[in-house]
Amino acid sequence: MKTEKILNPFSGYLALVLCLVLFCASVYFCINGVQEIENNQNFTYIILSALCFIAFVFFIKGLMIIQPNHSRVLNFFGKYVGSVKDNGLFFINPLYSSQKISLRSENLQGQTLKVNDKMGNPIEIAVVIVWKVGDTYKAAYDVERYTEFVRMQSEAAVRHLAMSFPYDNLEDEHATITLREGGEKINSILEQELTDRLVKAGIIIQEARISHLAYASEIAGAMLQRQQATAIVAARAKIVEGAVGMVDMALKKLSADNIVELDDERKAAMVTNLMVVLCGEKSAQPVLNTGTLYN
């Protein structure tokens, strides 16, 4: 299997000067050749003009300008010659054919895909990928169109990622990694998945991140209610835990300071009243007892 071969061609400035000289010589001989024809002389200057012009075209075809962060893949009658990654003006064999390949970083904003997560729930997911060409030979010859290859393989990698993990741990409580809470771990897994898929095209993945993640519209409402119910239950549990601690502290404080002696029945009533006050959603309305403790 062939790999990228870096070439360092000749500087093109000397060839450019030679091209200018040949072009000027061709014009000069052409002018003199016209005068020869008018004087019915030989066609020496015309022949020299034609030869200089052919040489000019030949050498000018060998000049190649490469912009920064660009490259050229050179081919000689179907055989890979090498790749030029330096920028500037160069001179190569005029018979070489070349293909331009950009080495700049590019963004791929993937479309929003509707897929099923590990638990079978339909979700919407989209990613942003930063990539660039690392191996020009693979990008030029191992795949048909490397930009299209990146787009298709990226979509396949995102679908595979979504099906490998649950959206959250509501249904899979033992899940160590979820799409919603995975964070950098999920991004790292996505980057590795993309690298494995795109290495055959010579592509380097610089960054990959999830840009959109949500339940599909048909179940979004039900899942939102489920999340809200889970949050409410968790909040209630925390409130009850705190209320029990406060009631226990109140009873112990009353007993320790000998403020009032309560039997078990009155303690139960006090606990009930305190729990209602502390755990109720609305503010409790005070009731004044003008009788005795037992009336």
Side-chain angles (χ1 to χ4, degrees):
M1 181 177 178
K2 289 187 177 181
T3 57
E4 182 183 64
K5 181 172 64 175
I6 303 299
L7 290 182
N8 296 309
F10 299 106
S11 175
Y13 293 101
L14 181 60
L16 178 62
V17 172
L18 180 59
C19 288
L20 294 176
V21 171
L22 289 173
F23 180 78
C24 293
S26 175
V27 173
Y28 172 79
F29 289 136
C30 180
I31 294 174
N32 286 275
V34 172
Q35 294 177 355
E36 281 187 344
I37 294 174
E38 292 177 352
N39 297 328
N40 295 323
Q41 297 178 359
N42 56 32
F43 297 92
T44 303
Y45 284 114
I46 293 295
I47 295 173
L48 289 174
S49 175
L51 292 176
C52 288
F53 185 76
I54 293 173
F56 163 76
V57 172
F58 182 79
F59 281 100
I60 200 70
K61 190 178 183 299
L63 290 177
M64 177 178 64
I65 299 176
I66 302 180
Q67 303 294 339
N69 281 330
H70 284 73
S71 67
R72 294 288 185 90
V73 178
L74 305 180
N75 186 291
F76 183 67
F77 294 109
K79 182 179 180 181
Y80 173 67
V81 177
S83 302
V84 182
K85 291 187 174 181
D86 292 333
N87 60 290
L89 178 65
F90 301 100
F91 178 76
I92 60 173
N93 188 335
L95 298 179
Y96 287 169
S97 61
S98 64
Q99 177 181 349
K100 296 180 181 180
I101 294 182
S102 173
L103 302 178
R104 294 178 295 185
S105 298
E106 298 191 39
N107 279 322
L108 175 62
Q109 174 64 62
Q111 61 178 342
T112 301
L113 304 176
K114 182 180 289 187
V115 296
N116 293 333
D117 68 354
K118 185 179 179 181
M119 308 306 297
N121 298 315
I123 63 173
E124 294 178 351
I125 185 171
V127 299
V128 174
I129 301 170
V130 182
W131 62 276
K132 69 176 183 177
V133 174
D135 191 313
T136 56
Y137 174 84
K138 292 181 178 180
Y141 298 115
D142 284 356
V143 294
E144 183 64 25
R145 292 183 295 275
Y146 67 90
T147 54
E148 185 71 13
F149 185 82
V150 170
R151 188 182 68 82
M152 295 300 295
Q153 290 299 319
S154 298
E155 181 177 324
V158 172
R159 289 184 181 275
H160 182 263
L161 176 74
M163 293 186 295
S164 300
F165 300 97
Y167 179 86
D168 52 30
N169 54 8
L170 288 179
E171 294 186 6
D172 189 358
E173 297 180 355
H174 302 290
T176 57
I177 302 177
T178 63
L179 296 174
R180 188 165 65 94
E181 300 177 354
E184 292 298 328
K185 184 63 175 179
I186 285 291
N187 294 332
S188 177
I189 294 173
L190 177 60
E191 289 180 15
Q192 187 59 47
E193 175 84 12
L194 290 167
T195 299
D196 294 340
R197 288 175 177 268
L198 298 176
V199 65
K200 64 181 65 177
I203 304 299
I204 297 175
I205 300 298
Q206 297 177 300
E207 185 180 7
R209 293 185 177 276
I210 295 177
S211 60
H212 173 77
L213 182 64
Y215 280 114
S217 57
E218 56 266 27
I219 67 167
M223 289 300 179
L224 178 60
Q225 291 179 352
R226 183 176 181 178
Q227 292 176 352
Q228 290 175 341
T230 302
I232 291 173
V233 170
R236 287 293 180 185
K238 195 68 175 178
I239 291 174
V240 171
E241 180 182 353
V244 170
M246 293 176 67
V247 170
D248 180 64
M249 180 181 66
L251 293 175
K252 289 181 179 179
K253 187 69 173 175
L254 290 172
S255 177
D257 294 346
N258 294 321
I259 296 176
V260 62
E261 293 291 337
L262 298 176
D263 57 17
D264 291 340
E265 180 181 354
R266 294 307 174 184
K267 286 183 179 180
M270 181 179 177
V271 169
T272 301
N273 293 334
L274 286 175
M275 291 297 292
V276 170
V277 171
L278 296 173
C279 298
E281 293 185 358
K282 298 181 179 180
S283 300
Q285 298 297 324
V287 177
L288 297 177
N289 185 2
T290 60
T292 64
L293 183 64
Y294 295 94
N295 293 309

